Amino acid sequence: MGEQGAGPAVEAAAEPGRRVTPANPAQRDAWIGGAMPEVERVRPGLWSIPVPIPINPLRYVLVYALELPDGVAVIDAGWNTEEAYEALAGGLGVAGYAMTDVRAVLVTHIHPDHYGLAGRVRETSGAWIGLHPADAALLHERYDETRLDALVERERAQLVRSGVPPVSVDELSGASKMIRQYVTMAKPDRLIEDGELLGLPGWDLRAAWTPGHSPGHLCFVSPSRRVLFSGDHVLARITPIVAVHPQSAPDPLADYLGALAAVRDLPVDEVLPAHEFRFLELADRVDYVTAHHGRRLAEIEAEVGRTPGAACWDLTTRLTWSRPWETIPAFMRRAATNETLAHLVYLEARGRVRRAPAAGPDEPDLWYPAAP
């Protein structure tokens, strides 16, 4: 999960807020009840296909199939497991298509639950794969076996600077290696830029670059059909992790908040996310998520004021989470720490906190209130 996977590492404590209206209550009920939703004809020419995700509380990714004159294009693909492949093939079958009918795979971002199966789909169908250049540039370091150890070492160095205890550093830094098996490394055939019209027959689908959850995250909007395929950028109930890690932008939270503002007023009636369920009120949800990060920033700034000179790890353990810190698995603790760091970096860039750089290679950065 997290910066190497899907959705949030572990949510901040629940906050009161407006619930969005589900576009299909049955899909919402399946999510809440821990079930898989049905393959669904959302509207003419558009299908929603749930594809299971292993070892992940998000349970499934929603792949969208867009009918074309000579087949279908899909938005995202799922993890590279036999179960996921069969679920995607079965969902396409319900819609009246076979895997060989896939003409394009539009990948919202390179986390395994979105990109992992794209290569196998291309091998079967000859479809082209599209990614934003910022994510395409990260593929080899992330998924090439010969380079993965170097990425893990960079992650380890960041965790040390975040103050993770030595006993936990190795466990946390290598926690994402297990998910490499769920990805077929596949170089994209097409790089999709912000604002680009995709040119899919029968669709006025346009790309919107929405960095933050990943540097090259893409949403896709159809003005004529008034729908937004939001990937992980905007979800109905949870917030995607936005973290500082070796492959992130320098200030990913600033990128994310800017990208939220950029999609807020798009002319759409329905949001089709990659997880949970479809919903209606885009602007209201964007406002809520923006306010959520404002509250989180205030909480972290206040904690720095209470414990000046704390490392990022220490601050992370003192924040309010949706479950007790001691019950959070190692992989989620790493992502939670990196998300706290993203908030600290955002505050630092705006003069609200300051950082004392690590005094040595095995020492952490320390955080203080902004100088008066």
Side-chain angles (χ1 to χ4, degrees), residues 30-51:
W31 166 257
I32 294 174
M36 289 285 285
E38 299 291 330
V39 176
E40 179 187 1
R41 182 175 180 264
V42 176
R43 58 183 65 192
L46 174 60
W47 295 81
S48 170
I49 302 172
V51 174

Side-chain angles (χ1 to χ4, degrees), residues 85 89 92 98-103 117-127:
Y85 184 87
L92 289 170
M99 193 70 77
T100 52
D101 295 318
V102 179
R103 302 290 174 254
L117 199 56
R120 185 173 176 187
V121 173
R122 182 173 64 187
E123 290 170 5
T124 303
S125 67

Side-chain angles (χ1 to χ4, degrees), residues 1-10 111 138 142 155 158-159 162 211-216 239-257 293 300 312 316 321 331-346:
M1 290 177 63
E3 67 273 15
Q4 293 282 351
V10 56
H111 293 164
L138 306 177
R142 180 179 290 246
E155 178 70 47
Q158 178 181 299
L159 292 171
S162 292
H213 182 56
S214 80
T239 57
I241 183 172
V242 178
V244 169
H245 56 87
Q247 288 194 320
S248 73
D251 191 350
L253 183 56
D255 292 342
Y256 179 67
L257 294 174
H293 282 287
I300 291 172
C312 178
T316 304
W321 299 99
F331 191 74
M332 294 184 179
R333 289 188 181 194
R334 186 192 72 176
T337 302
N338 290 352
E339 185 165 28
T340 300
L341 183 58
H343 286 73
L344 286 166
V345 166
Y346 182 94

Side-chain angles (χ1 to χ4, degrees), residues 12 19 53 80 104 127 151 163-164 166 168 208 220 226 255 279 283 312 346 370:
R19 295 294 186 190
I53 308 173
N80 183 28
L151 181 60
V164 175
S168 300
F220 301 99
R226 299 186 64 84
D255 292 342
F279 63 96
C312 178
Y346 182 94

Side-chain angles (χ1 to χ4, degrees), residues 61 79 150 152 161 174 226 242 269:
V61 61
W79 290 54
V152 170
R161 292 196 63 175
R226 299 186 64 84
V242 178
D269 299 323

Side-chain angles (χ1 to χ4, degrees), residues 271-344:
V271 181
L272 291 80
H275 302 290
E276 301 182 312
F277 52 89
R278 297 181 288 108
F279 63 96
L280 305 184
E281 302 89 350
L282 173 61
D284 287 351
R285 184 58 183 163
V286 165
D287 290 347
Y288 177 79
V289 174
T290 301
H292 158 81
H293 282 287
R295 291 187 290 270
R296 197 62 161 169
L297 288 163
E299 180 187 10
I300 291 172
E301 186 175 6
E303 190 59 43
V304 171
R306 280 190 291 270
T307 57
C312 178
W313 170 267
D314 296 324
L315 293 165
T316 304
T317 64
R318 294 171 187 150
L319 299 178
T320 52
W321 299 99
S322 58
R323 69 195 81 171
W325 179 256
E326 59 273 12
T327 69
I328 298 173
F331 191 74
M332 294 184 179
R333 289 188 181 194
R334 186 192 72 176
T337 302
N338 290 352
E339 185 165 28
T340 300
L341 183 58
H343 286 73
L344 286 166

Side-chain angles (χ1 to χ4, degrees), residues 66-68 106 195-208 220-227 229 267-268:
L66 287 59
E67 293 185 4
L68 307 173
L106 312 179
E196 183 175 336
L197 190 65
L198 275 298
L200 299 176
W203 288 85
D204 59 344
L205 204 66
R206 191 175 296 276
F220 301 99
V221 61
S222 170
S224 67
R225 302 181 193 228
R226 299 186 64 84
V227 296
F229 299 94
V268 300

